[in-house]
Amino acid sequence: MSETLRLFVSATADLEPERAVIGRTLAELPVQIRAQIQRSPVTGISYAELFERVARCDRFYFLLGQDITAPAGAEWELAWRLERSVLPLRKAGPRTPAAQAFLSWAPVQWIPFRSQAELARIIELDLIDLLLHPANRYGLSVPELERLALRRKQLREAQAEAGGEPGGAEGGGVLLDPGRQEPLEGVEVGA
C-alpha cells in the first residue's frame, strides 16, 4: 500500500510567494503521487491542531526571510520537539535583529536561496530524494523511479555546470565595512 507524501510548509510572513513554490514544484515533478501540503491557516490555529499537522508530516520545510514572525517560531520549535525531518531554508538578504538572533540560536545547516527559481531547484532535488526512498514508500513504478533518477541526475549536472559552489558571502570572502577605515591587518599604506 502506497503512502501519501505529507509536507508541512512553515514560512515567515514575507515569504508567502516562496511558500507557493513548494506546491508548484511538487506538481511539476515527472511523476504523479498522492501528496498533502499543510500549513497554519492565516486566521490562526489551535496548538492541538498544529501539533497534529506537524506530527504527521514526512518533511517540514522552514522558510526564513527578513524577520522571524508568528507562527513560524512556534512551528519550528514543535517540529524539532517532534523530531520531524526539517529542511531549514533562508532567503539571502538583510535580516532584523530578531531574525539574526534566531539564526544564531538555531544551530543547523541553513540552505540559502536567492530567488524562487533557486528555491524550486532545491525543493525539487529534496522531493526527488524523498520519493526515491529505498522502501518505495510512495508506491512508484519502475518507470517512475527511473524518471525521478534521471531528473535528479539532470539537476545535479546543471548544478555542477553552474559551478556547484554558492556565490557571494556563502562561497566565502571578505566583506568590507566602508565606515571602518583601519586596515584589517598590517599597516595602512597611503591615505
Side-chain angles (χ1 to χ4, degrees):
M1 178 85 178
S2 63
E3 296 178 28
T4 299
L5 175 63
R6 289 182 171 83
L7 308 173
F8 189 96
V9 183
S10 177
T12 55
D14 58 325
L15 296 184
E16 278 301 316
E18 284 78 1
R19 184 194 300 264
V21 167
I22 295 169
R24 282 195 309 269
T25 303
L26 178 63
E28 292 170 0
L29 285 175
V31 296
Q32 300 267 318
I33 60 159
R34 291 186 317 174
Q36 181 181 55
I37 299 176
Q38 296 280 324
R39 67 169 286 174
S40 290
V42 176
T43 57
I45 188 171
S46 72
Y47 186 79
E49 174 77 17
L50 178 61
F51 186 95
E52 181 65 27
R53 288 181 184 195
V54 172
R56 296 185 67 213
C57 74
D58 297 311
R59 171 67 93 198
F60 183 95
Y61 291 111
F62 187 84
L63 307 174
L64 178 67
Q66 288 184 313
D67 196 9
I68 184 69
T69 56
E75 293 166 348
W76 170 270
E77 187 275 328
L78 187 56
W80 286 104
R81 193 160 49 94
L82 292 173
E83 299 178 357
R84 299 291 75 204
S85 175
V86 177
L87 188 65
L89 302 146
R90 65 174 172 79
K91 187 167 186 179
R95 301 212 194 295
T96 65
Q100 280 300 118
F102 180 80
L103 279 173
S104 64
W105 170 80
V108 297
Q109 182 67 39
W110 289 90
I111 300 170
F113 66 95
R114 291 171 194 77
S115 65
Q116 289 186 9
E118 188 175 7
L119 176 63
R121 182 190 51 75
I122 293 166
I123 296 297
E124 186 175 6
L125 277 169
D126 185 66
L127 287 170
I128 290 171
D129 287 342
L130 286 171
L131 294 173
L132 291 176
H133 188 275
N136 195 11
R137 294 174 52 192
Y138 306 104
L140 297 170
S141 67
V142 171
E144 289 172 321
L145 293 169
E146 289 172 347
R147 283 197 303 270
L148 286 175
L150 176 62
R151 181 63 183 148
R152 178 171 59 186
K153 182 179 180 218
Q154 292 168 340
L155 287 167
R156 290 191 174 151
E157 286 174 356
Q159 183 179 7
E161 286 175 14
E165 291 294 321
E170 282 82 32
V174 176
L175 301 177
L176 301 175
D177 180 358
R180 185 179 175 112
Q181 298 301 314
E182 68 268 12
L184 294 175
E185 55 184 65
V187 178
E188 183 174 9
V189 180

